[in-house]
Amino acid sequence: MTGAPLPDALLFAAETAPSLFRRIVGAAGHPSRLVPILIARLTGRRVRAATALTALTGAHHRLRWPGPVPPAEPDASLARHGIERIEPMADGTVRIAPAGTPLVLLAGPGHTLVDGAAEAIAAAFADPSIHALYGDALVRIRPGGPWLPLLRPAFDPDFLRAVDWLGPVLALRRASAAAIEPVPGAAASDIALDLAARLGPRALRHLPRLLSFSALPAEGGGEGARAETRRARLKAVRRDLDRRGEGDTLAFVEPDGVIRLERPLPVPRPLVSLIVPTRDRLDLLRPCIESLRARTDWPAKDILICDNGSREPETLAYFDELRAAGAARILDCAGPFDFAAINNRAAHAARGTLLAFVNNDVEAERPDWLERMVREALRPEIGAVGARLIDGEGRIQHGGIVLGTGGLATHGHRHFSGDAPGYLSGLRATRSVAAVTAACLVIETRKFGEVGGFDPTFAVDFNDLDLCLRLNAAGLRTLYVGGARLHHRESASRRPSPQAAARHAEEIAALEKRWGPLLAQDPHYHPGFDPDLSTHIRLRRGWTGLAPAAPRSAVTAPDGARRPAPSRSRT
């Protein structure tokens, strides 16, 4: 390990992945699940075997760069392509003169450009709408250790305010950046946030290829240097909030280095309708409802239970108990299970300014989960808001939905430890995602109605994915809030059947027909990762990092099998 602590965006690198042998030994206590994995492996279905083993033993990053570091870019290449390299001064100050080459490359000391980077940067800036460009990098966190790939997402100001995942290498149009006097110690992120506020997020683009490599210093300033960096980041975030007219938003650094924003809330607090579908299963429902009552500190709650034909006396008695206490309303939703129709009906009956869709197998862990989600859902530009969900084994069940992985889509960081920071600390941050699961989804009632609610085409699966994509198409971003933590015993109340399998296949076909091109690649997830496993585990085989990885052209996995739905809505 280095003398200096890891930067906050690299905390995931401190996790050690167990060997394949240790994972198999650990799985030996589950022979009924291990034997099919071994059979799949021996019969050539390697992706299926790897996916099942991950689900059994847990997910870990296995991101060691497989080959040598690419050759360095000759110094003369930058000037030849009209680029001037600028490094911060000793105190972290960056100054960009108004006169000079058309392009400027901001780069920290010790960051070496990869051969071909200058040409790739210059070619990208042929697009006049681009004002800033960043790529990917390799970093060595200890002398002689392996190289670690830092693969970045499409530009996301929410994510950048929370975590500095951007790094110090940033290419800029001189005319766009010369007037900026960035915060010392956080120059790249400050400049990026300034440009995004003035010119829009689309002015900053990600080039999905390696542009640089560097090694962390063997010695550093320790925790003092980390604290100084966090103070600089916080100052840059406060400046960004001020320029956006959000000066009344609180911003502070949490112990894990993530910057948390608390936007002001209306007074009195808006009513939130918590919608919980169920059919009996009091063993799930009671812990869910009691956690909403006792471990959810939002003061204005309207709990609405959608009863899909409960018959057990214990369940009916619990309903009576809730009614008598004025703790919940019970909405009769008898008939075949149809998640979309049930929740749409409940939304019409809801009294709240916001809707919180909560599965009956979800339990609140931290009492501030709803407040954290509501603060984001009330933003005019935000549609659906999702949470970090932890499964019964203490592992990540949901960290946002990622498109183009696992055969179709999957939950981000699925099966990683529930306390893991996530790649680039993405599990702990508030950030944009393609979609979130309806197992715990908060949205303003008005926005839900404007896009028509859940589409009945997707009666059981993919209704949440489709909803988020329609919201995104309407200009409303989807957010994942890593600080909102709940437990989710996914699939606890569903039973497989041939009819369910046939319905699932029909819904897959409908999803592909409507959203096919978008399902090939998620802008918030780097195409250099292996698309056939749970996310952020390993790199795509054969990808050199020197050219963008092609998105997958189909949603069928190499083994010929469809992957499970990423976001099953259960009762």
Side-chain angles (χ1 to χ4, degrees), residues 119-437:
E119 181 180 3
I121 291 170
F125 274 101
D127 182 344
S129 69
I130 296 178
H131 294 262
L133 185 79
Y134 60 95
D136 305 315
L138 295 177
V139 63
R140 175 177 276 167
I141 64 174
R142 62 179 182 274
W147 289 94
L148 182 72
L150 300 184
L151 309 183
R152 296 171 171 117
F155 185 74
D156 177 7
D158 281 289
F159 194 6
L160 186 56
R161 293 184 198 106
V163 179
D164 183 10
W165 50 264
L166 188 62
V169 178
L170 182 66
L172 303 159
R173 285 195 192 278
R174 183 185 296 272
S176 304
I180 302 174
E181 297 182 4
V183 173
S189 58
D190 191 21
I191 291 173
L193 291 171
D194 186 299
L195 293 174
R198 288 191 289 116
L199 304 173
R202 291 286 297 167
L204 297 96
R205 302 288 178 85
H206 172 231
L207 186 62
R209 58 152 287 166
L210 294 176
L211 291 183
S212 65
F213 60 90
S214 64
L216 296 185
E219 299 296 334
E223 290 297 332
R226 170 181 277 177
E228 185 177 347
T229 298
R230 289 177 176 178
R231 284 193 294 269
R233 288 177 47 223
L234 184 59
K235 184 176 180 180
V237 169
R238 290 189 188 280
R239 287 182 60 174
D240 184 54
L241 294 171
D242 288 340
R243 74 171 64 97
R244 292 174 178 271
E246 297 185 55
D248 53 353
T249 295
L250 298 178
F252 50 91
V253 183
E254 297 195 297
D256 58 9
V258 172
I259 293 179
R260 176 181 171 185
L261 302 185
E262 284 193 358
R263 292 179 169 83
L265 289 167
V267 178
R269 299 291 187 259
L271 182 67
V272 179
S273 289
L274 295 130
I275 296 171
V276 185
T278 196
R279 178 186 295 164
D280 289 313
R281 292 307 305 265
L282 187 59
D283 59 319
L284 299 176
L285 180 65
R286 187 190 294 273
C288 171
I289 298 300
E290 295 310 311
S291 77
L292 300 183
R293 296 176 65 188
R295 294 200 302 278
T296 301
D297 59 11
W298 189 257
K301 293 177 290 189
D302 168 35
I303 299 177
L304 185 56
I305 298 175
C306 310
D307 179 22
N308 186 223
S310 296
R311 297 181 179 181
E312 296 175 0
E314 296 83 358
T315 304
L316 302 179
Y318 183 58
F319 289 165
D320 291 338
E321 175 187 327
L322 293 172
R323 289 192 191 96
R329 293 186 290 145
I330 314 300
L331 182 66
D332 183 14
C333 298
F337 176 65
D338 186 324
F339 180 89
I342 289 172
N343 281 282
N344 285 342
R345 181 175 180 183
H348 284 295
R351 301 167 180 164
T353 302
L354 297 102
L355 307 173
F357 298 99
V358 181
N359 276 17
N360 67 344
D361 51 4
V362 167
E363 296 177 42
E365 174 187 302
R366 297 178 179 176
D368 66 345
W369 71 274
L370 187 54
E371 177 185 323
R372 285 177 178 250
M373 297 176 74
V374 167
R375 286 185 188 273
E376 305 301 336
L378 287 173
R379 295 166 61 186
E381 72 275 21
I382 301 303
V385 176
R388 176 168 28 163
L389 301 182
I390 313 299
D391 67 18
E393 297 179 78
R395 304 188 308 204
I396 295 295
Q397 188 274 325
H398 173 264
I401 293 175
V402 179
L403 306 179
T405 59
L408 180 62
T410 191
H411 287 178
H413 290 93
R414 185 73 188 268
H415 306 303
F416 279 77
S417 167
D419 293 322
Y423 189 74
L424 303 180
S425 287
L427 274 175
R428 296 175 176 172
T430 293
R431 56 187 174 85
S432 296
V433 292
V436 293
T437 178

Side-chain angles (χ1 to χ4, degrees), residues 285 349 480 506:
L285 180 65
Y480 160 81
E506 292 174 358

